[in-house]
Amino acid sequence: AQSVTQLDSHVSVSEGTPVLLRCNYSSSYSPSLFWYVQHPNKGLQLLLKYTSAATLVKGINGFEAEFKKSETSFHLTKPSAHMSDAAEYFCVVIFMDSNYQLIWGAGTKLIIKP
Amino acid sequence: NAGVTQTPKFRILKIGQSMTLQCTQDMNHNYMYWYRQDPGMGLKLIYYSVGAGITDKGEVPNGYNVSRSTTEDFPLRLELAAPSQTSVYFCASSYGRQETQYFGPGTRLLVL
């Protein structure tokens, strides 16, 4: 079965330092990849998406992600964390091999220390 | 433009009761989805629809039913509520199968 793995359930960084949230997926011929963010007591919002164009994708609020096919990874980064980045982040993969499967990672809670 | 709306926001059910969670979108999207989110977990796809009259099972369909009679509405039905169905339910829609999904605010369901 296809799978999506977010390697860290929690990531804690200091304000102003870089952020790295990791996502790996099971191999697929042509996946579509997304990062969504869920702020406390707020809805889910798209951060960025990869759908077979440039491998480095820029999203909102200074986030970006790089699709690495050889590593089956789609890690999310930001050069400098801000307090407002504290939220839950989800990696989402759509597998289009033999049939349509839409799978969410378990999420990574990003904690920002002052 | 309201986007995706869900009702109710919160509901308590007794075991064995039934209910329908409502979802409506006003963006003329073809695709609609129902998810559940358990504490500390990612979203699990229950059912999805690619257009009016067409629905398909997701990862966790057991205990649920859906229908899609119009482009706008995609209700989720729980026939015999069980404690395992205590969760937060999200409805979403998208223009295409690989496009951005837009989410409703969620329905918190507690089955006792």
Side-chain angles (χ1 to χ4, degrees):
Chain A
Q2 305 284 24
S3 63
V4 177
T5 303
Q6 290 185 241
L7 291 105
D8 306 293
S9 59
H10 294 78
V11 169
S12 181
V13 302
S14 297
E15 191 174 20
T17 64
V19 174
L20 170 63
L21 306 182
R22 298 180 292 168
C23 174
N24 284 91
Y25 60 93
S26 54
S27 180
S28 173
Y29 176 68
S30 57
S32 292
L33 302 150
F34 304 77
W35 277 97
Y36 283 84
V37 60
Q38 186 176 33
H39 288 276
N41 301 317
K42 290 190 178 180
L44 286 143
Q45 181 183 22
L46 179 74
L47 267 183
L48 48 81
K49 66 179 180 181
Y50 166 80
T51 53
S52 75
T55 57
L56 183 61
V57 181
K58 294 188 184 299
I60 62 172
N61 300 334
F63 284 93
E64 61 182 37
E66 186 173 8
F67 171 58
K68 292 187 176 180
K69 186 175 181 179
S70 61
E71 299 176 10
T72 60
S73 69
F74 191 57
H75 300 336
L76 181 71
T77 61
K78 183 173 181 177
S80 177
H82 190 272
M83 293 301 292
S84 61
D85 294 328
E88 186 103 27
Y89 292 80
F90 295 97
C91 179
V92 182
V93 182
I94 296 177
F95 298 95
M96 303 285 287
D97 290 355
S98 55
N99 53 20
Y100 178 77
Q101 290 186 73
L102 193 165
I103 300 178
W104 286 61
T108 298
K109 186 171 185 177
L110 179 61
I111 300 161
I112 311 296
K113 297 177 289 187
Chain B
N1 189 334
V4 180
T5 57
Q6 292 183 239
T7 56
K9 289 184 179 179
F10 177 68
R11 182 77 182 267
I12 299 175
L13 279 183
K14 293 182 180 178
I15 295 171
Q17 285 186 321
S18 62
M19 77 164 293
T20 299
L21 281 67
Q22 301 291 345
C23 175
T24 301
Q25 54 95 5
D26 63 0
M27 296 173 282
N28 202 31
H29 284 167
N30 294 317
Y31 281 71
M32 295 188 75
Y33 314 81
W34 271 108
Y35 294 94
R36 59 177 289 170
Q37 184 179 26
D38 298 326
M41 304 288 288
L43 276 66
K44 300 284 188 183
L45 183 64
I46 304 171
Y47 272 95
Y48 68 99
S49 168
V50 304
I54 307 170
T55 63
D56 208 345
K57 296 178 180 179
E59 193 178 352
V60 291
N62 292 343
Y64 306 94
N65 279 301
V66 293
S67 59
R68 183 98 181 268
S69 57
T70 66
T71 299
E72 295 78 18
D73 300 307
F74 190 42
L76 177 72
R77 179 84 177 161
L78 284 71
E79 290 294 350
L80 292 169
S84 61
Q85 293 177 305
T86 292
S87 190
V88 180
Y89 291 83
F90 288 99
C91 179
S93 72
S94 65
Y95 181 71
R97 64 194 311 174
Q98 293 177 288
E99 300 299 323
T100 301
Q101 292 185 43
Y102 295 86
F103 286 84
T107 294
R108 190 174 297 272
L109 177 66
L110 180 61
V111 182
L112 299 174

